[in-house]
Amino acid sequence: MTERETQPYGAWRSPITSELIVAETLGLGDIRVDGGDIYWIEGRPGEGGRNVLVRRDPGGSVDDITPLPFSVRTRVHEYGGGAMSVHRGFVYFTNFADQRLYQQAGGMPPTPLTPPPDPEPGGTRWRYADGLIDEARRRWIGVREEHAHGRVDNTLVAVDLAQPGPGAVLAQGADFYASPALSPDGRQLAWLSWNHPNMPWVGTELWLAEIAADGSLAMPRLVAGGDSESIFQPQWSPDGVLYFVSDRSGWWNLYRCVATGGGAQALCPRNAEFGRAQWAFGQSTYAFLSPEQLVCAYTEDGHDRLARLDIAARTLTPLDLPYSDFGQIRAAGERVVCRAGSPADPPAIVLIDPASGACEVMRSSAPALADGELRSYVSAPQHLAFPTENGLTAHANFYPPHNPGYTAPAGERPPLVVKCHGGPTSSASSVLDLRIQYWTSRGIAVLDVDYGGSTGYGRAYRERLKGAWGIVDVEDCVNAARHVIAEGLADGERAVITGGSAGGYTVLAALTRGAVSGHVFRGGASYYGVSDVAALARDTHKFESRYLDWLIGPYPERADLYRERSPLTHADALRCPVIFFQGAEDRVVPPNQTEMMVEALRRRGIPVGYFLFAGEQHGFRRAETIKRALDAELYFYAALVFRTRLEF
């Protein structure tokens, strides 16, 4: 056994480099099944962030479907998802560059189904997402987002496959639409809608309508949902019963519609989450193996499971699998295909036999980890429950430093990176992420916080953030850091905080309110974070344009709250180094948000770094961007906070 070298925390050499991460890491998106073929989307940083549709045939052969220069990605709601569907060998997808809907037959070039955008300023532009094929009527049904003359309208439309056009409107009037679901006999359509100021995890409505002879929707009726009930993933069983997920009990649980007398029947009530926050289209947490059985993913006590549900007996049987995180659940005959991962395994497209538990990895997001030696550098997370304000408990995943080649001097404690997830209605995943291991393998601890407002712990936990953004999230991140420092797991003099989007706002709020938070953090990094929440309320995209009503209060009626909660208001109180990363084409958090904060710090002589990346939007996708940002953040901390000498 090789003797371990003694070096200070933060100065360890690691083979988990930024070059390795961008060269070996793939994004794995939407999964669809068409007969014996399985399709998914790969986000490839090495191809400029291009999204490629991939198919695996029944013989196990895997091939790219999307030719250059096409990229399968929609900008509906800006966050996208649900960018493709497949039916009888035909692929239907939204191309990122022009947002047109395309049809592609096997081996043939894509052909457009919808018109090009109007080149005139303010002219009409359409975006498409979340579609399905209505075979009997030869049409694509899905969500259309129309941008014209400063107005944005979302509708449910049908695009004729024989006579392409922008689509005929099926449902309109609500602010948002999602999740169209066609009954097996083709006679009924279900869908979700919601209105400002609700977000889909706050309040949605499930509608059901008959399809008339002319293809229009007749006799639409509200099935479930409202302003205080979130509905997720309406789906028909093979025998024609409508199922859905609702949080009417305080937890996202499974229900099915009752044919006689209306109403809904709970299938397996429990304090667990069978749904997700619908930031993106096309999510799926359950799939039918037969009319009598389905397979579902759920989160309970901070842990994910995949289980088989016997519908008649109402029995839920967890599967014994090596994975602890599941998404994009689809049925593939008697098996299930999904995206799965664990603390020891990065996300992968996995084929699972529910009867035996046998698993086949079809594509890993990080093929380099097939190398057993590299796996020896992986730090496993510890799930923490820690005390926070008002006598409550919050949650986090703690990753201790780990490197088989090094040990730290006796008595030394490691630097700490506190990570704030985005959303803010999202969650910290325990799945192996090389970007976290980049830090831990160098001797730096990481604390990934599920602050109040995060998903996975029930509606009451999500609603802790109602009217309290910039308060509860900051308090929980501060208390998480204090907890691990008090436990001797990290060095309180070398704690920093990092986050993107809403997480970037939490970073800036924590750093600018140091007097309130006790100056726990000695530096930070904001990735496309919000610095002026009033500016965000005035200048952001439609999907989130009223989210701040829920997070802070109505604007401009409560402009005083917006001033108080804006990091820019308190920039003069910021006394520690901060580095900023921003996409030049970001419409969610425009660059001026970051630049106002940068300028305020520069005027006061505070050490500040600023990277503006051309061609990037909200969330970085290009290899060179990801690499440069990751290395710059490490060097910034090492020089100004950690006081360590880096060696590569």
Side-chain angles (χ1 to χ4, degrees):
M1 184 174 180
T2 304
E3 187 175 348
R4 303 175 81 182
E5 182 180 347
T6 300
Q7 286 288 342
Y9 285 119
W12 300 350
R13 291 189 188 92
S14 171
I16 303 177
T17 63
S18 60
E19 290 89 347
L20 174 81
I21 291 171
V22 298
E24 295 287 347
T25 301
L26 301 170
L28 298 176
D30 298 5
I31 298 173
R32 297 292 185 272
V33 177
D34 182 41
D37 294 330
I38 298 171
Y39 295 77
W40 63 86
I41 294 176
E42 293 185 3
R44 297 177 179 173
E47 294 185 28
R50 191 168 79 99
N51 284 0
V52 179
L53 185 58
V54 177
R55 180 184 64 208
R56 182 189 192 259
D57 66 24
S61 178
V62 177
D63 299 291
D64 288 359
I65 300 300
T66 313
L68 284 166
F70 293 93
S71 179
V72 183
R73 180 180 160 206
T74 178
R75 290 189 64 179
V76 177
H77 295 179
E78 295 299 334
Y79 295 103
M84 64 88 169
S85 55
V86 293
H87 186 75
R88 297 190 184 277
F90 282 80
V91 171
Y92 305 85
F93 70 89
T94 299
N95 179 46
F96 178 69
D98 56 14
Q99 290 297 293
R100 298 173 76 181
L101 185 66
Y102 285 78
Q103 176 181 263
Q104 183 182 4
M108 301 296 289
T111 57
L113 292 172
T114 57
D118 187 336
E120 294 298 319
T124 303
R125 294 165 289 127
W126 296 280
R127 302 173 180 180
Y128 298 86
D130 213 15
L132 57 85
I133 297 300
D134 180 358
E135 183 175 29
R137 301 165 187 86
R138 299 211 58 217
R139 60 184 185 171
W140 177 96
I141 296 175
V143 176
R144 185 184 73 188
E145 187 173 271
E146 180 178 344
H147 296 245
H149 309 293
R151 180 181 173 86
V152 180
D153 289 305
N154 294 69
T155 51
L156 205 61
V157 302
V159 175
D160 193 319
L161 301 182
Q163 295 181 322
V169 174
L170 297 178
Q172 61 184 337
D175 288 321
F176 301 99
Y177 292 87
S179 307
L182 188 66
S183 62
D185 61 10
R187 296 179 178 179
Q188 299 180 89
L189 186 75
W191 69 91
L192 297 179
S193 66
W194 65 97
N195 292 299
H196 283 314
N198 286 340
M199 298 299 283
W201 47 88
V202 175
T204 50
E205 295 179 342
L206 174 59
W207 287 84
L208 180 63
E210 306 296 321
I211 300 180
D214 64 356
S216 64
L217 301 183
M219 299 182 293
R221 61 188 186 278
L222 181 64
V223 173
D227 288 338
S228 58
E229 180 182 2
S230 172
I231 307 294
F232 174 86
Q233 195 189 341
Q235 184 170 329
W236 297 87
S237 65
D239 56 347
V241 179
L242 183 59
Y243 286 64
F244 60 93
V245 174
S246 166
D247 70 351
R248 61 181 60 181
S249 70
W251 297 84
W252 273 315
N253 279 190
L254 281 161
Y255 294 82
R256 66 177 175 185
C257 291
V258 179
T260 56
Q265 182 181 58
L267 298 180
C268 54
R270 62 198 299 150
N271 293 348
E273 300 278 56
F274 290 78
R276 300 284 188 270
Q278 296 177 75
W279 280 103
F281 292 103
Q283 298 183 70
S284 175
T285 60
Y286 68 96
F288 289 93
L289 297 174
S290 70
E292 296 79 28
Q293 292 201 11
L294 59 79
V295 169
C296 53
Y298 63 98
T299 304
E300 189 172 40
D301 301 325
H303 301 283
D304 274 20
R305 296 170 176 85
L306 190 70
R308 183 200 295 261
L309 175 65
D310 184 306
I311 296 169
R314 313 278 183 88
T315 55
L316 189 68
T317 306
L319 304 179
D320 185 13
L321 300 170
Y323 301 107
S324 59
D325 186 273
F326 304 90
Q328 287 289 314
I329 312 298
R330 311 287 178 188
E334 295 182 349
R335 294 187 290 179
V336 172
V337 61
C338 64
R339 186 179 58 233
S342 77
D345 300 285
I349 306 295
V350 181
L351 194 60
I352 299 172
D353 184 343
S356 66
C359 301
E360 177 188 354
V361 175
M362 296 188 292
R363 182 79 97 194
S364 172
S365 64
L369 284 170
D371 177 359
E373 183 178 349
L374 199 61
R375 284 185 173 274
S376 67
Y377 288 83
V378 170
S379 172
Q382 305 166 12
H383 186 80
L384 304 179
F386 58 90
T388 190
E389 305 303 310
N390 302 313
L392 299 172
T393 297
H395 302 269
N397 292 324
F398 177 73
Y399 296 81
H402 177 72
N403 186 313
Y406 292 94
T407 188
E412 184 182 358
R413 296 177 182 178
L416 175 67
V417 173
V418 173
K419 186 171 178 286
C420 312
H421 64 68
T425 310
S426 186
S427 60
S429 173
S430 63
V431 172
L432 178 58
D433 184 344
L434 286 180
R435 291 167 297 182
I436 288 178
Q437 306 301 323
Y438 174 88
W439 299 97
T440 57
S441 61
R442 286 172 169 76
I444 300 164
V446 174
L447 183 62
D448 200 356
V449 184
D450 265 339
Y451 47 79
S454 302
T455 52
Y457 305 92
R459 187 176 181 110
Y461 197 86
R462 294 200 307 276
E463 291 189 339
R464 288 186 190 181
L465 209 58
K466 184 177 182 180
W469 192 36
I471 299 174
V472 166
D473 49 326
V474 170
E475 290 172 344
D476 287 355
C477 287
V478 167
N479 287 326
R482 285 174 171 160
H483 177 76
V484 298
I485 291 167
E487 293 291 315
L489 301 174
D491 182 355
E493 297 299 314
R494 295 188 289 170
V496 298
I497 184 169
T498 184
S501 189
Y505 166 75
T506 300
V507 167
L508 297 176
L511 295 178
T512 53
R513 306 301 300 277
V516 175
S517 61
H519 298 286
V520 169
F521 302 113
R522 307 308 169 95
S526 170
Y527 286 75
Y528 32 87
V530 180
S531 61
D532 183 348
V533 290
L536 184 68
R538 296 189 299 266
D539 183 24
T540 193
H541 59 121
K542 179 184 177 183
F543 179 59
E544 289 185 272
S545 61
R546 298 288 301 280
Y547 189 18
L548 294 178
D549 288 20
W550 190 90
L551 289 169
I552 296 176
Y555 185 85
E557 293 86 345
R558 294 308 311 270
D560 58 322
L561 286 178
Y562 283 73
R563 283 192 299 272
E564 176 61 23
R565 302 277 181 88
S566 291
L568 189 63
T569 302
H570 307 283
D572 288 347
L574 204 158
R575 301 171 185 169
C576 63
V578 188
I579 189 167
F580 297 82
F581 303 96
Q582 177 69 45
E585 299 176 16
D586 193 338
R587 274 288 296 121
V588 178
V589 180
N592 67 321
Q593 283 275 310
T594 292
E595 288 163 1
M596 288 188 294
M597 197 71 184
V598 169
E599 182 57 31
L601 297 180
R602 283 175 174 167
R603 286 197 305 266
R604 297 180 49 243
I606 301 295
V608 60
Y610 178 41
F611 289 79
L612 180 66
F613 296 106
E616 292 284 9
Q617 293 89 40
H618 197 67
F620 299 152
R621 291 171 172 83
R622 298 181 176 183
E624 59 271 23
T625 302
I626 298 168
K627 177 185 182 307
R628 193 173 185 198
L630 196 55
D631 287 341
E633 187 178 358
L634 174 61
Y635 275 97
F636 190 79
Y637 295 153
L640 298 174
V641 182
F642 295 163
R643 302 182 300 278
T644 55
R645 180 172 58 87
L646 296 175
E647 295 188 26
F648 289 89

